Amino acid sequence: AGKAVCLISGGIDSPAAAFMMMKRGCRAILVHFFNKTINSEASLQKIFDLVKILNKYQLYSKLYVVPFSEIQDEIIMKTKSEYRMIIYRRLMLMIAEEIAGKEEAGVLVTGENLAQVASQTMENLNAISKAVGMQIFRPLIGFDKNDIIRLAEKIGTYQTSILPYGDCCSYMIAEHPETKAKGDFIEKLEEKLDTRKLVKNAVEKAEVKEIN
């Protein structure tokens, strides 16, 4: 079924989404965005443990650990807090797209599901998707949280996913983030950032780990 680059956080949703692709025969290349300001190097063990559980379904995995704190600091300095989450997500996809090119992967995969959090409204998902040219698969898009929890329990990731771990996407954002973003407006905000340089540096600094 080909290769897919799957974004994996420390939460419940993204490991379940990666499993859904594995179930269809995809080789999942996993990408994790690491913010050293809110998580210690030791806390990365949680991510490694999630990958080891997913290895039950594809035997071994390649994991890219992408340093993301400097990118987030740059966004925080130049972007109003209500738009930061959207731009975080867009930069994540841009970086994942570069990795997909290196890995000859055909699609990007996220654990997003419609309207669960502020970044996942229909308008915001559209604005985020416009950051890249690749197809984005969202295998959990119509699931509610209970559906995802049941799936995570079934595949064995749930108990690890609920362990404490800082979430990049909620770092230094507004109490009430924008929920109806316009793609053109977000692109104007991004003109304050050298996105090409940020993406290039992140991919070059990413640690690549083979996890068996």
Side-chain angles (χ1 to χ4, degrees):
K3 291 182 183 179
V5 165
C6 300
L7 280 65
I8 183 167
S9 69
I12 299 169
D13 302 350
S14 55
F19 163 77
M20 294 287 282
M21 300 306 296
M22 295 173 187
K23 188 173 83 164
R24 297 304 309 147
C26 277
R27 162 61 56 186
I29 310 296
L30 303 169
V31 177
H32 176 69
F33 294 90
F34 178 67
N35 185 324
K36 65 183 180 182
T37 306
I38 55 176
N39 291 304
S40 67
E41 292 285 342
S43 68
L44 273 172
Q45 187 60 49
K46 173 181 175 177
I47 306 303
F48 302 152
D49 289 344
L50 282 170
V51 175
K52 287 175 183 176
I53 295 166
L54 289 173
N55 279 350
K56 291 189 294 184
Y57 309 104
Q58 67 171 12
L59 301 182
Y60 68 91
S61 297
K62 182 181 283 188
L63 171 69
Y64 283 77
V65 179
V66 178
F68 205 59
S69 51
E70 291 180 9
I71 290 176
Q72 292 194 275
D73 290 344
E74 184 83 4
I75 293 168
I76 289 163
M77 284 192 294
K78 297 180 178 178
T79 308
K80 289 183 177 180
S81 58
E82 58 263 40
Y83 301 108
R84 288 174 190 163
M85 185 189 295
I86 297 165
I87 295 182
Y88 293 164
R89 296 295 296 173
R90 284 172 59 91
L91 264 292
M92 287 176 178
L93 288 180
M94 292 178 199
I95 293 164
E97 185 176 47
E98 287 294 311
I99 292 170
K102 290 178 61 174
E103 294 288 343
E104 299 182 342
V107 296
L108 306 180
V109 179
T110 76
E112 292 159 320
N113 41 90
L114 186 62
Q116 178 172 267
V117 294
S119 67
Q120 296 175 13
T121 63
M122 194 174 293
E123 293 87 349
N124 284 1
L125 289 173
N126 282 332
I128 291 165
S129 297
K130 288 178 180 176
V132 295
M134 286 189 74
Q135 178 81 284
I136 303 167
F137 286 1
R138 296 179 170 97
L140 307 181
I141 194 68
F143 285 35
D144 65 24
K145 199 64 182 182
N146 289 331
D147 295 330
I148 299 168
I149 289 171
R150 282 193 291 270
L151 176 57
E153 289 173 336
K154 178 180 176 181
I155 66 177
T157 56
Y158 179 74
Q159 290 300 326
T160 302
S161 288
I162 61 175
L163 296 173
Y165 191 81
D167 177 22
C168 275
C169 289
S170 58
Y171 178 59
M172 298 290 285
I173 64 169
E175 184 178 355
H176 301 291
E178 176 62 53
T179 57
K180 295 185 181 295
K182 305 294 185 189
D184 293 346
F185 178 72
I186 297 299
E187 287 170 9
K188 290 291 288 184
L189 293 180
E190 277 180 5
E191 290 177 3
K192 299 176 184 177
L193 306 168
D194 188 344
T195 55
R196 183 174 297 182
K197 181 180 178 182
L198 292 173
V199 170
K200 181 176 182 292
N201 287 346
V203 174
E204 288 176 352
K205 292 177 181 179
E207 292 186 46
V208 185
K209 299 181 181 294
E210 298 279 353
I211 299 180
N212 298 310

